[in-house]
Amino acid sequence: MAEANEKYVLRLADNALILGQQLGEWCGHGPVLEQDIALTNVALDLIGQSRMLYQYAAELCGDGSTEDDLAMKRDVFDFYNVLLVEQPNGDWGNTIVRQFFYDTYNYFLYDFLCNSTDNRIAEIARKSIKEIAYHAQFSAEWVIRLGDGTEESHQRVQASVNDLWNYTGEMFTPDQLDKDMYELGIAPDLQEIGKAWRKKIDEILDIASLKKPDNEFFHTGGKVGEHGETLGFILAELQFMQRAYPEMKW
Amino acid sequence: MSKEEIMNLEERFNRYVAEENKVEPKDWMPEKYRKTLIRQISQHAHSEVVGMLPEANWITRAPSLRRKVALLAKVQDEAGHGLYLYSAAETLGADRQQLIEDLLSGKAKYSSIFNYPTPTWADMGAIGWLVDGAAIANQVMLCRTSYGPYARAMVRICKEESFHQRQGYEIMMALAAGTPTQKKMAQDALNRWWWPSLMMFGPTDDNSPNSAQSMKWRIKRKSNDELRQEFIDKTVPQAEFIGLTIPDPDLKWNDESGHYDFGEINWDEFYNVIKGNGKCNKQRLDARNKAHDEGKWIREAANAYAEKQAKRREQSSSVA
Amino acid sequence: MTSKDNWKIWEVFVRSKNGISHKHVGSLHAPDAEIALKNARDVYTRRSEGISIWVVPSDSITASRPDDKEPLFTPSDDKVYRHPTFYEIPDEIGHM
């Protein structure tokens, strides 16, 4: 049995939390009641997953930190989420495209993690994989409907695909930590995940009559704490209470 | 049908509901019964949906992840409750899109409690405890309302609501047992939400003209004042238990009546907020309008796709 | 459909567990069957209320109508011979 590096667990947790936090903003503001409820379910799943991961990360820290300490008391440079999940919600279609890119990656990732040599990660992954499979189906179905819907929806969603595309490559670009985790059988070979991801993305974009951008430049840095400007604002809301009223129980 | 026949039917209908029988969608019902129900159910649905906003306001800022998921789940439930209620109204022949347009244009009403702001985290506690508490008192009664689909929606809603009030009270409990700053926050929220919560039950019985007919039709089963008194009797000890003070100097237990006496409600404020002069009337409607307008292309796209798919299926089956 | 952005209504039936038939739980709006199923899952089974869902477009349901002319609320319990209590069996026989 292997034990993951705490930073690696935080990457998984931060991705789930930041995305869940952003989806939470849609609650009460969705395009129709049914879809409001649906997207909130995804948010709940993601935040739930982040909690399990933070609890594990807190144990690995071993300094008495709690899930909330990890979520609410680290600043931007100590957050290790990929840049994709911190991109702004934009319109509902944009949120769906971001979700589609991420959910598809997340599905292949967690599919591997179910058999991770780190038992705790494997256990969390097995709890989460059904939810994630549903997310991936849900966002793909909506990408198809918006891509192959009206002229307006097609154009808007194509624009979102183009805008978000450059943030997808980071998910499949391994750094030293990813490689170490792979060596230990804790995490997958990200390049393999990338191949599976591209195949699925090609298939769905094709059904949706959307074009895959040919730009192959990809932003990186999120995984090691080098973020854009939006994450700070996301954290400002997320951490407001813990910052304004430190050391209190809620 | 002649006038006489209708009169005859109405009489039978009145007797039928008075004997505690349920009315189902396809049954004959007086036009006024149908209209009253559509108005009441849709107002109730609007209240659920607008009621999401003051709380959704705090989802991104909840102080812990545990509180965040609880609040998210709660606000999501409210969307569900709005949906169940619109569905019940639709069984009476109403069209949801039309009902929503009436809300968005300001023509339809919703519970004016949701026009009050939620400036602090303690408001999440106060809303869950007091506003949901007041709503539950009303909803428990409506589980036995005479219109079947409405009653069934209410049973579902009441089942789900049970965690809402506990969620709110638990937040208040934590604050009241916390630091002086937290306790102050809790007391401040109680001060702001107490009176508006009492107003949620509607005008006093002698000022509630539609109540009598609704009671006769078994739509409503308890009067506004009865429900309000029940709520006060239940809530005062809960406040005492966590050491918070109800902001009413006239509040005291009356041994003779077996109820709490309470002070005069400021009805001017109530009617003023209904008229549109609450702190957040405009924000609430603006937010609903924005969501609806910006969601239009999504709803249209999905319909367009469904039509295309149906055509494709037709074509492929005719080829085969 | 009154306007291009109005989704049609679906009736939702949920089987709470195997051995029990699907039961009508309510309705919702959706543009097509797949979304209707997903919406039904999100709206009506948030608390693990079901293991199987049916969705049916409301306008595909043919319902019986209470006859306008007939007395409205007469219960049709005149065929008492369809109920077990109609038949007299000696107590010694036990439960039948």
Side-chain angles (χ1 to χ4, degrees):
Chain A
M1 193 195 103
E3 199 172 77
N5 182 292
E6 167 205 329
K7 259 193 187 167
Y8 183 75
V9 181
L10 282 176
R11 281 185 186 175
L12 298 174
D14 291 344
N15 279 337
L17 177 64
I18 297 304
L19 200 53
Q21 168 82 359
Q22 296 230 71
L23 292 182
E25 280 186 39
W26 275 108
C27 185
H29 305 275
V32 64
L33 276 178
E34 282 82 355
Q35 262 37 67
D36 203 308
I37 294 169
L39 207 58
T40 302
N41 260 356
V42 181
L44 280 168
D45 289 343
L46 286 168
I47 298 171
Q49 289 161 19
S50 81
R51 290 184 66 191
M52 292 189 280
L53 291 159
Y54 283 130
Q55 284 159 14
Y56 180 35
E59 282 171 37
L60 291 173
C61 287
D63 61 356
S65 290
T66 64
E67 58 175 77
D68 288 326
D69 292 333
L70 291 173
M72 312 263 184
K73 292 180 184 168
R74 286 175 300 144
D75 201 353
V76 169
F77 37 74
D78 289 324
F79 262 76
Y80 306 121
N81 58 279
V82 292
L83 297 172
L84 177 68
V85 299
E86 70 190 55
Q87 297 311 305
N89 280 343
D91 62 27
W92 201 78
N94 191 72
T95 296
I96 287 294
V97 173
R98 186 185 66 200
Q99 206 59 36
F100 169 58
F101 286 158
Y102 183 78
D103 292 339
T104 309
Y105 153 77
N106 211 26
Y107 174 74
F108 291 121
L109 174 65
Y110 273 67
D111 188 45
F112 178 93
L113 294 180
C114 286
N115 297 306
S116 170
T117 50
D118 180 315
N119 286 343
R120 287 291 297 279
I121 292 188
E123 191 188 315
I124 294 169
R126 283 196 292 267
K127 270 192 195 155
S128 312
I129 189 73
K130 283 177 207 144
E131 294 171 349
I132 294 170
Y134 183 81
H135 302 167
Q137 262 184 32
F138 172 84
S139 52
E141 275 188 355
W142 274 100
V143 165
I144 291 169
R145 275 154 187 77
L146 299 178
D148 190 21
T150 60
E151 187 52 40
E152 181 189 4
S153 72
H154 176 81
Q155 281 176 12
R156 290 176 81 142
V157 163
Q158 182 67 59
S160 294
V161 168
N162 299 347
D163 287 348
L164 291 167
W165 184 252
N166 306 89
Y167 296 101
T168 58
E170 184 188 9
M171 297 188 286
F172 317 110
T173 313
D175 68 352
Q176 196 52 50
L177 179 58
D178 289 320
K179 285 177 190 157
D180 293 347
M181 293 297 104
Y182 168 65
E183 290 299 323
L184 291 170
I186 291 172
D189 175 353
L190 284 183
Q191 280 163 323
E192 287 302 315
I193 299 283
K195 277 182 206 154
W197 182 86
R198 286 207 170 220
K199 199 167 156 245
K200 187 73 190 170
I201 296 298
D202 284 347
E203 178 198 323
I204 299 295
L205 289 184
D206 187 55
I207 297 174
S209 64
L210 292 165
K211 272 203 205 77
K212 186 171 79 176
D214 42 24
N215 186 343
E216 290 292 309
F217 171 80
F218 295 113
H219 299 285
T220 55
K223 284 195 222 184
V224 289
E226 293 163 12
H227 294 279
E229 291 177 344
T230 52
L231 185 62
F233 290 98
I234 296 170
L235 296 187
E237 284 193 38
L238 175 72
Q239 302 179 338
F240 163 67
M241 290 296 287
Q242 293 278 350
R243 303 284 190 186
Y245 303 95
E247 308 306 319
M248 294 184 200
K249 286 208 175 69
W250 302 94
Chain B
M1 247 184 291
S2 73
K3 240 186 183 165
E4 202 175 310
E5 276 175 311
I6 291 179
M7 287 281 285
N8 203 4
L9 284 173
E10 273 201 42
E11 216 169 274
R12 265 196 206 173
F13 180 87
N14 290 344
R15 212 177 319 130
Y16 179 78
V17 290
E19 285 164 2
E20 300 297 336
N21 294 301
K22 299 287 182 214
V23 182
E24 293 296 339
K26 305 258 171 190
D27 294 342
W28 184 90
M29 61 188 84
E31 208 35 44
K32 242 191 104 194
Y33 176 85
R34 180 192 303 275
K35 283 200 175 130
T36 302
L37 271 174
I38 291 179
R39 199 193 61 229
Q40 183 177 328
I41 298 174
S42 61
Q43 275 182 14
H44 197 159
H46 299 330
S47 302
E48 295 282 353
V49 173
V50 176
M52 295 170 77
L53 299 169
E55 289 176 286
N57 190 18
W58 274 92
I59 289 170
T60 56
R61 291 177 293 167
S64 70
L65 296 181
R66 179 174 176 268
R67 292 288 179 214
K68 191 187 291 287
V69 286
L71 186 62
L72 247 178
K74 190 199 164 205
V75 181
Q76 182 196 40
D77 271 350
E78 281 155 14
H81 299 171
L83 197 153
Y84 306 155
L85 288 161
Y86 284 125
S87 293
E90 282 176 311
T91 64
L92 291 158
D95 170 48
R96 183 166 105 187
Q97 190 96 333
Q98 184 57 52
L99 296 175
I100 288 175
E101 269 157 31
D102 289 346
L103 166 70
L104 298 178
S105 69
K107 190 177 148 202
K109 297 275 175 252
Y110 57 87
S111 180
S112 57
I113 189 89
F114 302 116
N115 292 319
Y116 289 85
T118 52
T120 78
W121 169 250
D123 293 316
M124 297 307 100
I127 289 185
W129 174 34
L130 302 173
V131 177
D132 288 317
I136 288 167
N138 196 34
Q139 286 164 350
V140 166
M141 166 190 82
L142 288 170
C143 287
R144 297 192 301 128
T145 194
S146 59
Y147 186 58
Y150 191 20
R152 290 193 286 276
M154 276 302 144
V155 168
R156 215 184 165 82
I157 289 172
C158 282
K159 242 190 241 166
E160 299 187 355
E161 285 265 345
S162 58
F163 100 76
H164 294 185
Q165 199 188 8
R166 293 170 69 101
Q167 181 253 176
Y169 191 64
E170 202 196 76
I171 290 175
M172 287 306 248
M173 249 166 57
L175 293 174
T179 64
T181 317
Q182 285 174 303
K183 188 161 184 184
K184 192 176 142 215
M185 196 188 273
Q187 183 63 51
D188 161 72
L190 172 57
N191 293 349
R192 282 181 289 110
W193 289 95
W194 174 254
W195 291 104
S197 299
L198 298 190
M199 295 175 200
M200 278 178 73
F201 296 97
T204 52
D205 292 349
D206 44 357
N207 278 316
S208 182
N210 299 323
S211 282
Q213 181 63 68
S214 280
M215 300 268 273
K216 214 193 245 166
W217 275 334
R218 298 291 193 273
I219 295 176
K220 215 174 140 73
R221 314 189 58 107
K222 284 179 183 173
S223 79
N224 295 354
D225 287 335
E226 269 178 272
L227 287 167
R228 188 166 15 242
Q229 187 68 57
E230 270 178 26
F231 171 75
I232 292 170
D233 291 347
K234 219 185 264 174
T235 310
V236 173
Q238 293 167 353
E240 282 167 0
F241 182 77
I242 53 176
L244 297 178
T245 312
I246 303 274
D248 178 359
D250 297 324
L251 186 84
K252 61 171 179 296
W253 178 254
N254 182 329
D255 250 340
E256 221 167 283
S257 66
H259 295 292
Y260 281 94
D261 293 334
F262 56 97
E264 189 67 32
I265 292 173
N266 181 354
W267 292 109
D268 288 344
E269 175 183 321
F270 176 72
Y271 289 111
N272 214 3
V273 177
I274 286 186
K275 251 189 266 162
N277 296 326
K279 269 206 176 78
C280 295
N281 292 58
K282 185 172 164 6
Q283 284 94 316
R284 301 294 183 242
L285 270 194
D286 284 354
R288 287 315 311 161
N289 271 292
K290 183 167 181 275
H292 189 74
D293 293 346
E294 292 181 358
K296 190 164 192 269
W297 70 275
I298 301 284
R299 299 189 301 273
E300 279 179 358
N303 266 345
Y305 175 80
E307 268 172 50
K308 281 189 208 174
Q309 280 297 86
K311 258 189 212 137
R312 282 171 200 149
R313 266 196 301 272
E314 222 171 84
Q315 274 167 8
S316 69
S317 69
S318 69
V319 170
Chain C
M1 209 171 291
T2 52
S3 65
K4 278 186 182 165
D5 69 325
N6 200 0
W7 292 352
K8 66 178 181 179
I9 308 180
W10 302 71
E11 300 299 326
V12 180
F13 301 81
V14 172
R15 185 203 295 285
S16 56
K17 59 179 186 195
N18 271 3
I20 290 176
S21 52
H22 285 76
K23 185 176 169 236
H24 183 242
V25 292
S27 63
L28 50 75
H29 287 247
D32 58 55
E34 287 88 15
I35 302 285
L37 260 186
K38 286 222 158 55
N39 287 348
R41 176 248 193 206
D42 289 328
V43 172
Y44 288 104
T45 64
R46 290 200 300 289
R47 289 169 170 81
S48 356
E49 292 98 330
I51 54 152
S52 163
I53 303 174
W54 291 347
V55 288
V56 183
S58 298
D59 56 17
S60 300
I61 291 180
T62 310
S64 61
R65 290 185 148 274
D67 192 340
D68 286 350
K69 291 270 163 57
E70 284 292 311
L72 277 159
F73 310 118
T74 45
S76 62
D77 54 7
D78 53 338
K79 294 184 177 59
V80 286
Y81 45 81
R82 282 198 176 122
H83 298 279
T85 47
F86 179 72
Y87 305 93
E88 282 178 32
I89 303 283
D91 288 347
E92 299 86 85
I93 301 298
H95 179 74
M96 183 181 274

